[in-house]
Structures are given as structure tokens and as C-alpha cells.
Amino acid sequence: MKILFISHYFPPETGAATKRIYGLAKHLVKFGHKVDVITGMPNYPNGEIQEKYRKKFFYFEEMSGINVYRHFVFVSKRKNTITRLLNYFSLVFSSLSFIFNRNQYDVIITSSPPLFLGISGVILSKIKKAPLVFDVRDIWPGVAAEIGEMSPDSRVYKVLEWLELFIYRNSTLITVVTNGKKEKLISRGLTESKVELISNGFDAEFLDYQIDDSVKHEYKTSNKFNILYAGIIGVAQGIDIIIKAAERLIEYKDIQFLLVGNGVELEKLKLLTQEKGLTNVVFTNEQPHERIRSFLNFSDVAVVPLKNTALKDSIPTKIYEALGAGVPVVLSASGESESVINRSNGGIITLPGDVDALVSAIMKLYSDKDFYRNCAENGQQYVLNNYSRGSIAKRLEARIMDLTQNQDTRKVN
């Protein structure tokens, strides 16, 4: 098959969206399919285009057998509604130049959020006469209302909801990452056959990345109990709870918190840490994904927070990565992500925002070596057996092959 992905995020950018699309695309190439990707110039999450791609309106490259077509995208270090919309819509418009590309495809897969890229997906699917698969990682604009960023009664919300439903109507298939998201879409009138669960997962080759010993020396991880957060440092993640836990544990000189990543909340949290005089918190800024393997190798616990109880249908991909690397997880969240920890016996669950419970969970893993070892072993085995990215890509392949066969049948008839 010839498959076209349209994604706002792609390596060398980091984050859950990048891991998902790149992981699926790589495996589909391994299965013998031709895979192309439309994306922007890499700039996420710090709002600055990486040097190799600057001052370019178009850039083509090949990554792991994937043909990557990069298009112009507006970027700004200023984070507000206007700059975000310009960032999103600039890729919508620039990607439509792909109309003039003569390549034909059996299926087009568009990743959301951002929701607006679905406009490109709908237009290109009509012109290329290929079925559209709309891959929903978060349900927008619903998730914005859930975390308090937007009122569901506002005019803007109504417009976005109209666009969301328009894209759904013009998609042949909608894929989602959790059962909770599938149930939400079905409850809104979509047929069950149109919504398919294609979960996030773990790329086992991540374990083959070479361990970078400079991490150990640079961040002084030796002879310490290292607690890691690796991911986007944004509003939805609620990273401030980790700073509060670090403040409670400041007397334990062998406990260190490593915050790896970038995002809109980073400078605010750095300032908060300085104000509190917390010498047990280390910020590393954004790191290449290959180096995250080394951070996990030198860490003892991974903390995965979510801001509030509204995000019950989300499973952060960093859960799979930490468990897959044999690192117990303290999950400060509720909802569907709890099921992964419960079924794997790979860590401890606390309520979001509960600092006392987070500190207690950390101390349990710090002090109980047998419990710690069982969490590490159980979690890794469970993820490798149940959330291999290869098996998930196989499920996606089977579903889109059904779509293309049905499409061919309709053409014949």
C-alpha cells in the first residue's frame, strides 16, 4: 500500500505525537508499504525552527525509509492564542501545496491535535481519491473544556466543534488511543464500526539505544535515588506537584528529581524552584529521544502526572516507555491510565494533585527494595507483552487494508 501521513509533529521533534506517528510509520515501512509524511519544519515545543531547517519553505528528506515532505510553518517563542493559531494554520495552508504532487495513495492518515490539520486531510483525500483515517490522540475542542482552557458555551468552542464534526463526517475511519475516547465518540453519534482503538505503545528497539554515560556524570546520578519526569512541561501535565514533592523531601540528600523536557511552564517552574531554594531539583531542558533511554537507565522511579481528574481518557505514552525500560512508575492521575499500572503491577497510583500521596509513594519505592524490584520486573514484562508498537502497527495495517479493499470493491461496482 501507499500510505500518506499528515502530522504537525515529527522527528527530530519530541513528544507523544511524534513517537506515535513515527513509530507506526517505521513499522508500516518494515511491513513492505510505501510511506510518505507531510509535516512542518521542526520547532516543537520551544517555538524555534531547528538550524538545519531554517529559512526554508520546503524540505525533503528520508528517515528510516519514510519520505518526509516538510512545509513552511509559522513559529514564535511568544505563546498566546494568536501565535498558536498562526502556527497551526500556516501548516494547513502550506501543506495544501501537496495537491500538485502527483503521488497517489491508498489511504491518508491525519493526526490530531491540532484539529485544524484535519482540513488538509479532508481536502487531500478528496483530490487524491483516497479514504481518510483521522487519528485522534485528544478530542478537541472537548479536552480544552475539560482542563478549563475554554468554555463549552463560547462561540469559539461552537465553531471548533462544528469543524470537528465536519472532519468526522468526511473521514472513512477514526482511530483513537484509548477506550475512553472511543466511548466518547460513540456517545456523540458515531457508529462503533467507524471508530477503532489503535492504542499508543512501546518501541522495543528503544531498549537497544546506547547508554550515554555522560548523563550519569553531568547530572550526578551516582549514589542517588533519582526520580525522573521526562516529557512536555506544559499546563496539562501539572508538573508543579513534583516541585512540591521535592520540597517535602529536601532533607533526603540522596533523593534527586530530574525534570527532562521543555514547554510553556518551564521558566515558571525554574523560578519557583529557585525561590524555594530546592537543590534537589535538576532541569535538563529538552533532550533527544535516544538520550531519554539513558536518563531512564540512571533513574529509579518515573513520575507521570496529569493536571486534573477531567483527563480520565488519557494514557500518557511516557508510562509505556518507563515501564518498558524497567522503571517503576508513580502515576499522579486518575482514569484509564490507572488500568495500565494496575494490570502491570508496575508502580503506584495516587490522585492528581495529592502531594502527600505522591511523597508516600516515592518513599515506598525508596525504602522497600523487594516491592521496588517486583514493580520493575512486572511492569517491563507486561508492556513488552501487551503494548509492542509492532503489534499495534499490525492492527492498524489490517484495518486500513480492509478500507482499501472496500474502496476497490466500490470502484468495481
Side-chain angles (χ1 to χ4, degrees), residues 111-245:
S111 176
S112 172
L115 175 68
F116 308 107
L117 206 52
I119 299 170
S120 301
V122 170
I123 293 173
L124 287 172
S125 73
K126 300 295 185 188
I127 291 172
K128 302 287 186 182
K129 295 182 170 56
L132 175 63
V133 176
F134 196 53
D135 184 50
V136 178
R137 304 183 322 277
D138 280 313
I139 300 173
W140 274 82
V143 71
E146 289 174 0
I147 63 174
E149 287 190 346
M150 188 182 298
S151 168
D153 297 321
S154 68
R155 185 174 298 176
V156 172
Y157 185 94
K158 299 296 183 187
V159 171
L160 292 175
E161 188 176 44
W162 177 88
L163 175 61
E164 174 198 13
L165 296 174
F166 169 79
I167 296 168
Y168 292 163
R169 286 195 302 272
N170 285 277
S171 300
T172 306
L173 177 70
I174 298 161
T175 54
V176 293
V177 296
T178 65
N179 276 309
K181 295 185 195 309
K182 180 175 181 177
E183 290 166 4
K184 276 186 179 179
L185 293 184
I186 292 172
S187 72
R188 294 175 64 194
L190 277 72
T191 60
E192 188 169 354
S193 61
K194 191 172 183 175
V195 186
E196 184 79 15
L197 173 64
I198 303 292
S199 69
N200 281 318
F202 177 69
D203 286 301
E205 54 262 38
F206 178 74
L207 298 176
D208 298 328
Y209 290 158
Q210 185 174 354
I211 301 301
D212 183 355
D213 282 329
S214 69
V215 168
K216 176 173 62 177
H217 304 302
E218 186 175 351
Y219 300 106
K220 299 177 174 61
T221 61
S222 297
N223 301 315
K224 288 184 179 176
F225 190 80
N226 296 286
I227 299 159
L228 176 71
Y229 172 81
I232 302 302
I233 300 178
V235 175
Q237 288 73 31
I239 310 300
D240 57 317
I241 192 174
I242 298 177
I243 306 300
K244 293 174 183 175

Side-chain angles (χ1 to χ4, degrees), residues 76-87:
S76 172
K77 288 191 173 183
R78 296 176 62 187
K79 302 295 182 183
N80 56 49
T81 302
I82 299 299
T83 58
R84 279 199 296 269
L85 288 174
L86 287 171
N87 177 256

Side-chain angles (χ1 to χ4, degrees), residues 260-328:
V260 180
N262 206 336
V264 295
E265 295 287 290
L266 178 60
E267 294 306 318
K268 173 184 168 184
L269 293 176
K270 282 183 176 180
L271 182 60
L272 179 63
T273 301
Q274 290 171 3
E275 289 173 351
K276 292 180 177 293
L278 300 179
T279 56
N280 58 345
V281 178
V282 178
F283 293 91
T284 75
N285 293 325
E286 187 177 3
Q287 300 287 329
H289 186 233
E290 291 81 0
R291 213 173 185 222
I292 299 301
R293 172 72 183 100
S294 300
F295 278 96
L296 283 165
N297 184 71
F298 296 120
S299 295
D300 299 281
V301 171
V303 175
V304 180
L306 277 177
K307 184 179 180 181
N308 58 38
T309 55
L311 299 170
K312 288 182 177 292
D313 61 353
S314 294
I315 302 179
T317 57
K318 57 183 73 70
I319 291 178
Y320 302 119
E321 209 155 79
L323 293 178
V327 178

